[in-house]
Amino acid sequence: QVQLQQSGAELVKPGSSVKISCKASGYTFTSYDMHWIKQQPGNGLEWIGWIYPGNGNTKYNQKFNGKATLTADKSSSTAYMQLSSLTSEDSAVYFCARGWPFAYWGQGTLVTVSS
Amino acid sequence: DIQMTQSPSFLSASVGDRVTINCKASQNINRYLNWYQQKLGEAPKLLIYNANSLQTGIPSRFSGSGSGTDFTLTISSLQPEDVATYFCLQHNSWYTFGAGTKLELK
């Protein structure tokens, strides 16, 4: 069965970076986009971008250009998202989800930005 | 950018009630709309895709309708396990979520 297993919660300092992972299993990793979504309490959900692990192509929501960097490691079937120059506005739960129709989601990774 | 206006933001209903949740797109999105259920502390679960197709394993009391700009999620007979937040997602142009509807039992 398809599973997306995300890395654990992170507590990071303002101005730093964080890299979270999403390990895929149960399907051919290189055949589907992997998307990343941000969820903040009270602010709903925002689509960050996607990566196609087959060729490394990426597409970003303009709002997250320069903030998020998506990569993928085919050898380990793992997608990564790095968030840089962190501020309190980046504190959120981040989900990975397999391509449309987003039927499969990771369990979410809580990122807390605090000094 | 396409905006999704979801209503109501909060809904209280009794077991057995028929419940409807709406999403309105700021422009035509054809049928590129999905509905998700999210329980506290969990990942979203796909209920309906392409506006009216029931995802495998989802109870038939859930249904979706609409096309163009106006869409509806209907729960025909509310069950206690349906307490959750529901949101829509469009993919006609990039991806935009509705703000969510929190459903509780009366």
Side-chain angles (χ1 to χ4, degrees):
Chain A
Q1 71 283 22
V2 174
Q3 290 190 338
L4 301 176
Q5 182 65 39
Q6 295 185 229
S7 49
E10 299 271 6
L11 173 60
V12 292
K13 294 192 183 310
S16 68
S17 297
V18 68
K19 191 172 186 177
I20 59 181
S21 65
C22 171
K23 183 171 176 59
S25 60
Y27 72 98
T28 302
F29 179 63
T30 51
S31 296
Y32 293 84
D33 307 340
M34 189 70 78
H35 296 247
W36 291 87
I37 295 105
K38 177 182 183 181
Q39 186 170 38
Q40 288 179 304
N43 283 358
L45 294 128
E46 292 182 281
W47 175 73
I48 296 170
W50 59 253
I51 183 167
Y52 184 66
N55 58 16
N57 282 356
T58 55
K59 205 68 163 178
Y60 296 92
N61 179 338
Q62 254 190 318
K63 178 179 177 180
F64 293 92
N65 265 327
K67 169 63 65 178
T69 303
L70 305 182
T71 57
D73 178 3
K74 289 188 278 190
S75 67
S76 62
S77 297
T78 303
Y80 298 92
M81 178 174 67
Q82 178 162 318
L83 299 168
S84 60
S85 303
L86 292 165
T87 73
S88 58
E89 292 299 306
D90 299 314
S91 292
V93 176
Y94 292 89
F95 292 98
C96 58
R98 201 183 77 168
W100 191 257
F102 293 4
Y104 301 99
W105 295 62
Q107 81 276 23
T109 296
L110 175 63
V111 174
T112 304
V113 183
S114 174
S115 54
Chain B
D1 291 3
I2 296 176
Q3 308 302 318
M4 301 301 298
T5 302
Q6 187 170 342
S7 62
S9 54
F10 181 82
L11 184 53
S12 182
S14 301
V15 172
D17 281 356
R18 182 181 182 86
V19 169
T20 60
I21 298 169
N22 301 293
C23 265
K24 186 175 184 66
S26 59
Q27 59 188 270
N28 180 16
I29 59 168
N30 299 295
R31 290 185 179 272
Y32 291 110
L33 183 114
N34 292 358
W35 290 98
Y36 298 83
Q37 174 194 70
Q38 187 179 28
K39 297 184 177 179
L40 201 62
E42 297 183 4
K45 177 193 288 187
L46 176 64
L47 302 175
I48 302 288
Y49 62 95
N50 294 345
N52 60 8
S53 296
L54 188 68
Q55 172 69 356
T56 303
I58 301 301
S60 58
R61 64 179 179 273
F62 292 92
S63 64
S65 63
S67 65
T69 60
D70 292 287
F71 300 85
T72 300
L73 172 70
T74 300
I75 307 173
S76 60
S77 178
L78 186 67
Q79 299 302 303
E81 61 266 32
D82 299 337
V83 169
T85 298
Y86 293 83
F87 56 88
C88 60
L89 168 62
Q90 73 81 21
H91 171 42
N92 187 75
S93 174
W94 301 116
Y95 303 85
T96 315
F97 292 88
T101 296
K102 188 172 183 180
L103 175 59
E104 74 162 28
L105 284 179
K106 195 178 289 183

